[in-house]
Amino acid sequence: MKRDFLTLQDLSSREVQRLLKRARDLKSGADANKCPLIGKSIGLLFEKASTRTRISFEVGIYQLGAQAIYMNQKEIQIGRGETVHDTARVLSRYLDAVVIRTFSHDTLRDFALSSSVPVINGLSDAHHPCQALADLMTIAEKKGRLKGLRIAYIGDGNNVANSLIEASVLTGMDIVLACPRGFEPEAEIVEKALSWGKNAVTVTEDPEIAVFDADVVYTDVWVSMGQEKDAAKKKRKFKKYQLNSDLVSRAKKDVIVLHCLPAHRGEEITDEVIDGPRSAVFDQAENRLHTQKALLEFLLT
Ligand code: CP
Ligand code: NVA
């Protein structure tokens, strides 16, 4: 039976560990000449802009021996009203998997229901699970473990935050999120994650409380793609949620700083922090490639 990857809930914690181990091996150059996906075709159907997700998937697919076919939704018939269901049924006849970047998470679910091949979430308004896999790999690489660590997420309770919550709990980390009132992560996701294990998921309005004793501090843009309406008003509410040197200095001395990128430098994060010695954001971006290759292998072989 086909397996989809729409959220972290689609993987068990054991599968996440296996995938992270495989990603580490791939990064170290193991099996560099093996092409486990030779002869396969993988579609990338994107409704939003992308640098990292698109390019890391395209390169990873090529390195695994398959071909990537990029589709901008405006250039295929879905942009002219062909249904998601019909599109999924047709693409399943040609492709071996589809990576989708979309607005509504329901579109992704609908596509997956009608698709007979694996569907991977390349970001929806509610989740960004491929990002979370790379986040986990980066944390494990820098800290030597995941279990027992404490992550602080500062800013908007958005798609990246939702997936980070699920990823943290699945791997035994505690997470505390500092978000302005009205911008907290989805309560349903927090509750579900809490029900999986013994790890804490805490939401506060105070960024200083959140970063206290943190091993990892993480932030993302204040205004996500498709949410540009009222951006100026929203940014005013987020002023005290900037990841700057003062805030980072309140975390553990050996804290690492993560950001999924793209960053709005001078808004949610300062140059000094993103370019500073605690930052791991460019390793994090690189790890998109390795974790997604491991994911594709896992789903398709
Ligand atoms: N982090 C991330 O998904 O980046 P892109 O929007 O460039 O793909
Ligand atoms: N929260 C951001 C993440 C971009 C990778 C967005 O959805 O635009």
Side-chain angles (χ1 to χ4, degrees):
M1 208 182 79
K2 69 139 178 168
R3 294 271 307 260
D4 298 316
F5 183 56
L6 306 188
T7 75
L8 262 298
Q9 295 173 40
D10 291 323
L11 296 177
S12 66
S13 59
R14 188 176 291 209
E15 285 170 337
V16 170
Q17 296 298 348
R18 187 178 131 196
L19 224 139
L20 294 177
K21 181 177 181 315
R22 182 64 185 145
R24 269 200 308 278
D25 289 348
L26 287 165
K27 185 172 186 174
S28 74
D31 300 340
N33 298 318
K34 271 201 191 156
C35 293
L37 302 189
I38 201 149
K40 296 197 188 292
S41 298
I42 296 166
L44 305 175
L45 173 51
F46 278 44
E47 288 184 347
K48 294 176 176 173
S50 171
T51 299
R52 281 141 289 270
T53 307
R54 176 179 174 178
I55 306 306
S56 57
F57 264 113
E58 288 201 22
V59 170
I61 289 165
Y62 174 76
Q63 290 178 355
L64 293 171
Q67 70 160 338
I69 300 175
Y70 178 76
M71 297 164 278
N72 177 321
Q73 62 103 27
K74 289 196 195 101
E75 290 162 7
I76 61 169
Q77 298 289 11
I78 207 169
R80 294 180 58 248
E82 185 168 18
T83 68
V84 168
H85 294 287
D86 288 349
T87 306
R89 289 172 69 184
V90 171
L91 291 181
S92 300
R93 302 285 179 112
Y94 309 134
L95 299 170
D96 297 283
V98 189
V99 180
I100 302 183
R101 170 163 285 201
T102 185
F103 290 90
S104 162
H105 196 74
D106 289 342
T107 305
L108 198 65
R109 279 206 202 102
D110 289 347
F111 194 101
L113 273 177
S114 298
S115 168
S116 57
V117 298
V119 175
I120 296 172
N121 181 358
L123 181 145
S124 67
D125 284 347
H127 292 269
H128 197 2
C130 291
Q131 180 65 52
L133 290 179
D135 302 342
L136 291 176
M137 181 177 181
T138 312
I139 297 167
E141 215 169 53
K142 303 289 174 195
K143 296 282 166 197
R145 68 190 166 107
L146 292 171
K147 205 166 177 187
L149 296 179
R150 177 179 158 92
I151 303 192
Y153 176 94
I154 312 298
D156 193 20
N158 59 17
N159 43 9
V160 168
N162 289 336
S163 289
L164 193 66
I165 291 170
E166 296 186 339
S168 304
V169 174
L170 263 179
T171 56
M173 295 190 285
D174 292 329
I175 180 164
V176 46
L177 303 103
C179 313
R181 190 168 300 174
F183 297 95
E184 298 89 355
E186 282 183 27
E188 202 186 315
I189 288 172
V190 174
E191 276 159 35
K192 192 169 264 169
L194 280 171
S195 74
W196 292 345
K198 298 193 184 86
N199 286 95
V201 181
T202 317
V203 183
T204 169
E205 277 182 64
D206 188 335
E208 291 182 12
I209 290 179
V211 299
F212 175 73
D213 215 26
D215 299 287
V216 180
V217 289
Y218 197 126
T219 191
D220 182 19
V221 290
W222 292 339
V223 179
S224 286
M225 290 181 278
Q227 297 172 5
E228 290 80 7
K229 199 168 159 272
D230 296 332
K233 200 167 141 203
K234 187 172 178 187
K235 283 180 190 173
R236 282 196 290 278
K237 291 196 177 148
F238 277 74
K239 273 220 148 62
K240 73 169 184 175
Y241 294 84
Q242 183 186 65
L243 207 53
N244 53 36
S245 298
D246 177 51
L247 198 55
V248 173
S249 72
R250 293 166 194 269
K252 279 193 178 142
K253 278 214 154 37
D254 62 350
V255 68
I256 61 162
V257 172
L258 298 181
H259 189 309
C260 58
L261 302 177
H264 285 190
R265 288 166 174 259
E267 287 186 9
E268 77 277 1
I269 193 162
T270 59
D271 286 336
E272 204 181 1
V273 170
I274 198 169
D275 297 325
R278 309 306 327 151
S279 170
V281 302
F282 294 98
D283 291 324
Q284 183 187 4
E286 176 187 334
N287 287 339
R288 296 293 304 275
L289 173 66
H290 311 298
T291 45
Q292 287 160 196
K293 283 172 71 179
L295 176 70
L296 287 167
E297 259 190 17
F298 174 78
L299 294 176
L300 293 176
T301 58

